[in-house]
Amino acid sequence: MFFIPRNVSPQDKLQAVIEYLTGKGSQESIAKKYDVNHKSLSAWINNYKAFGETAFNRTGRNKNYSLEFKNTVVQS
């Protein structure tokens, strides 16, 4: 079975992260609720921790991440 990614609005990404961080479910259960892979949710959580709510603002271009951010994500 293949996973087909779907577009998730920035508001839904933020809501999913907040639900996880406030203990309203596991990564797996919240990912299932939003119909995404739990690895996607994990990435959203890491981005939120690094950038706050602005992590989900769409810029329409590729992002360039600092070395510090990359190290933070790897250590997480």
Side-chain angles (χ1 to χ4, degrees), residues 17-32:
V17 169
I18 290 171
E19 286 178 26
Y20 173 72
L21 293 176
T22 57
K24 295 190 173 151
S26 67
Q27 283 190 23
E28 291 79 13
S29 67
I30 294 170
K32 188 173 187 176

Side-chain angles (χ1 to χ4, degrees), residues 2 4 7-9 12-13 20 24 29 32-33 35-37 39 43 48 51 53 55 61-65 69-70:
F2 292 97
I4 301 171
N7 289 328
V8 179
S9 73
D12 283 347
K13 289 178 182 180
Y20 173 72
K24 295 190 173 151
S29 67
K32 188 173 187 176
K33 175 181 176 182
D35 193 29
V36 296
N37 187 299
K39 290 181 182 181
Y48 178 80
F51 299 111
E53 291 185 18
R61 64 184 185 111
N62 292 335
K63 293 182 174 79
N64 294 318
Y65 297 107
F69 172 72
K70 291 176 184 177

